[in-house]
Amino acid sequence: MTAPSTVGHQPHPNRHPQADQGGRAAALGELSAWQLGGPGAPRVLLVTGGPGSGRTRLITDFLGGGTSRPLVVGGAGLTSAQLLGRVADGLVPGAGATAEVYERLAGLDEDAPVAVVVLDVDRVGVLREFDEAAKATRSVLSPLAQSPGVRLLADLPRPQADWLADQLPPGQVAVLDLDEERWADRGALTAQAQAELGDRTRAGLAAALARTARSPLVVRLAARSLRSVPPDHDDPQSARPATPQELPASVADAIALHAARCGADELTLRRLLVPLALAGEGAALPRSLWVRLASAVAGRDLSVALLDGHALVAPFVVPVGAGTRGGAADGGPSSSHSGGQDGGEPAVRLLHPAVGAEVREGLGTAVREAQRRITRALLDAVPGGGPQRWAALDPAVRELLTGHALAAGQLPELLADPGFLLHSPQVVLRAAVECLVSRRVEVPPQARTWLRLAPLLIGAEAGPAVRAGLLEHAWHREGLPELDLGPCLPWRTLWWQSLPEVTAVGAAYAPDGSPAVLVALPAVEGTELAGYDAVSGAPLPFPERLAAPSEGARADARYALTAAQPGTGGSGAAELRIWARTGDRPVAVFLSAGPLAGADVTPDGILLLADAEGVGALRITA
């Protein structure tokens, strides 16, 4: 990758704070100067401002204006580790461990710097409980900013921008704060207001709104408010603001003024928005679920208020497809939180994250109680029965429950349910359990085992059957009680024997014809053999008398075993696939985070495994 050679916007001739010309044109000039990298231009440019200030839009407009394409990475919906992985894939492909990524970033060629743009740092993370923006700034942006071979442009919250700027020499970094008056563009806001209001505006209203509103988002909300409640021509004053004092300056003002224009109680409007505000950045709720959760928060039925009051919520929400998030339906990594699943009930999400931030701030200390009420309403939707009830649960409820239960303080008790561990979205669940562990909250031992396996399960995008098998085997090895994982369990672990330094394992027959296991161990000279009963794990005498299955027995066996390529990045991860005699897809898959010393399957269907810690036998049930 080479340095960019062309730009769409030429830098403003005067880049200094004392410049007479300001606004978005000057801000675009700052971005162009960063892109050109000429004398005096910062190597690192950080764009910040309050929610709704338009910092991401500024950069995307700049990138769409004909610039040569830098590496652009969006952080919305990713964990900090996933964001670092995306950056590494683009800049230092093949790097494995985090330390190697940092080392190779630091070694990028200073004479041919790479332009990197990181967007939506404020939306990094899958749970609001973690300050993922701060974590991403330290673990992703800081290594990029410190590398002399990188020219970095990022939009991020003000605290993180200030922290990162303090880590760099002043001549290398600049902070562009869009809330500062010199970057304000009242003309652009007026044009935006005129375009959004259309022919409904009176003379001067758009200009007045642009003077009052603190951000493009507030202009948009005010315009949507006017459009959603058409003017009453018999009484114009009742349907639209008439004076600057009646125009919103902030998101809070927009909520209050719109409720008044609709003749509604502001508290009712805010309660309707609470479930969307607490659901996660960009999350969308099916309409029926939205009504149930809003009613739970309010402590009374709000279905009539919502159904009859579409205009009341219209400025603050947008329709999307069904579901709560885009990405892997099985809870794997998601690239966006703003989409929905195909089909199903229509859903809505908030127009902008700043609306959610205002609603949450308005809750104050009541936010914990709101989370408890939402959690109870979600749990009421869980059907009775065994672990499969979680699989049968509405996916929208399943995706929301982990985050709400964490915020409500009810997650530890859910972690004791193996079905919850098995069927919850794995990326979100991992973040939630890590949050509990970091707070020193006691979690059930089976959840700690799950957390140890989580990187493997998530990295392989393992489905419920694979997750069930790996959890069952890990719990057995750790001496935990047998737990019900439902009908998707691909095997039952028969036994596990701690036996370090195994070099090979193979199926065999005892002299009486019963299935056995032959294990090879290192010896002072050559190899030492040990034998075990395949079903009970009892040691067998005279291992040299054990006989391997014949080729005919192998050919007639119920199952066959193949090994997939080890994982990348030098981890040595292994994947075993178990096949039935007939069929074109494996009936079970075993994943190992580390290398296996050996694996085999007996003709009657017992999977034999050996790794650095010992030997085990699993009866295949798939």
Side-chain angles (χ1 to χ4, degrees), residues 211-303:
R211 287 193 301 271
T212 303
R214 295 174 186 167
S215 70
L217 174 62
V218 177
V219 170
R220 188 180 181 192
L221 290 173
R224 287 170 64 91
S225 174
L226 286 164
R227 292 202 310 269
S228 64
V229 182
D232 182 346
H233 294 288
D234 294 331
D235 183 8
Q237 299 301 317
S238 68
R240 62 171 63 166
T243 66
Q245 290 73 24
E246 296 176 287
L247 294 171
S250 64
V251 175
D253 291 346
I255 293 174
L257 289 171
H258 180 70
R261 293 185 70 247
C262 293
D265 178 20
E266 180 185 350
L267 182 58
T268 298
L269 172 55
R270 285 180 172 268
R271 283 173 169 171
L272 287 170
L273 297 176
V274 164
L276 295 166
L278 297 181
E281 301 295 349
L285 298 182
R287 283 188 170 271
S288 61
L289 180 59
W290 178 23
V291 173
R292 293 206 309 272
L293 298 184
S295 298
V297 170
R300 61 185 178 89
D301 186 2
L302 291 183
S303 57

Side-chain angles (χ1 to χ4, degrees), residues 15-360:
R15 297 183 55 257
H16 299 289
Q18 296 84 357
D20 294 331
Q21 299 186 34
R24 289 303 195 255
L28 288 171
E30 296 287 319
L31 270 61
S32 294
W34 165 84
Q35 181 85 316
L36 286 173
R43 185 176 58 81
V44 176
L45 180 58
L46 307 176
V47 181
T48 190
S53 60
R55 60 194 188 218
T56 303
R57 176 62 62 86
L58 174 70
I59 296 178
T60 54
D61 286 350
F62 169 71
L63 295 174
T67 66
S68 64
R69 194 67 174 170
L71 173 65
V72 181
V73 183
L78 301 178
T79 65
S80 296
Q82 288 172 330
L83 180 60
L84 181 62
R86 297 278 178 91
V87 169
D89 289 343
L91 293 181
V92 288
T98 300
E100 182 184 358
V101 173
Y102 290 161
E103 181 180 359
R104 290 183 57 183
L105 287 177
L108 291 174
D109 188 359
E110 183 177 1
D111 295 328
V114 182
V116 180
V117 178
V118 182
L119 299 173
D120 294 321
V121 175
D122 60 326
R123 299 180 64 193
V124 172
V126 294
L127 286 173
R128 203 174 287 113
E129 299 299 312
F130 274 146
D131 188 0
E132 282 281 335
K135 184 177 179 181
T137 301
R138 286 166 170 77
S139 64
V140 182
L141 296 188
S142 182
L144 287 171
Q146 301 285 350
S147 172
V150 171
R151 300 188 61 79
L152 176 64
L153 170 63
D155 83 86
L156 67 171
R158 189 176 292 106
Q160 281 70 54
D162 292 342
W163 179 87
L164 186 55
D166 288 342
Q167 311 304 306
L168 300 169
Q172 294 188 20
V173 61
V175 176
L176 197 159
D177 189 338
L178 295 183
D179 287 340
E180 294 181 5
E181 186 60 32
R182 60 180 167 139
W183 308 118
D185 197 333
R186 299 301 169 189
L189 289 179
T190 301
Q192 176 193 352
Q194 289 173 337
E196 299 222 29
L197 289 169
D199 60 3
R200 291 187 175 91
T201 180
R202 297 178 304 179
L205 178 58
L209 178 57
R211 287 193 301 271
T212 303
R214 295 174 186 167
S215 70
L217 174 62
V218 177
V219 170
R220 188 180 181 192
L221 290 173
R224 287 170 64 91
S225 174
L226 286 164
R227 292 202 310 269
S228 64
V229 182
D232 182 346
H233 294 288
D234 294 331
D235 183 8
Q237 299 301 317
S238 68
R240 62 171 63 166
T243 66
Q245 290 73 24
E246 296 176 287
L247 294 171
S250 64
V251 175
D253 291 346
I255 293 174
L257 289 171
H258 180 70
R261 293 185 70 247
C262 293
D265 178 20
E266 180 185 350
L267 182 58
T268 298
L269 172 55
R270 285 180 172 268
R271 283 173 169 171
L272 287 170
L273 297 176
V274 164
L276 295 166
L278 297 181
E281 301 295 349
L285 298 182
R287 283 188 170 271
S288 61
L289 180 59
W290 178 23
V291 173
R292 293 206 309 272
L293 298 184
S295 298
V297 170
R300 61 185 178 89
D301 186 2
L302 291 183
S303 57
V304 174
L306 183 58
L307 294 175
D308 294 345
H310 173 73
L312 179 61
V313 297
F316 309 100
V317 302
V318 291
V320 295
T324 61
R325 300 175 190 260
D330 194 41
S334 169
S335 61
S336 171
H337 286 228
S338 61
Q341 301 164 358
D342 295 333
E345 183 185 359
V348 296
R349 64 169 174 81
L350 292 176
L351 176 73
H352 192 279
V355 176
E358 167 55 36
V359 172
R360 292 191 299 274

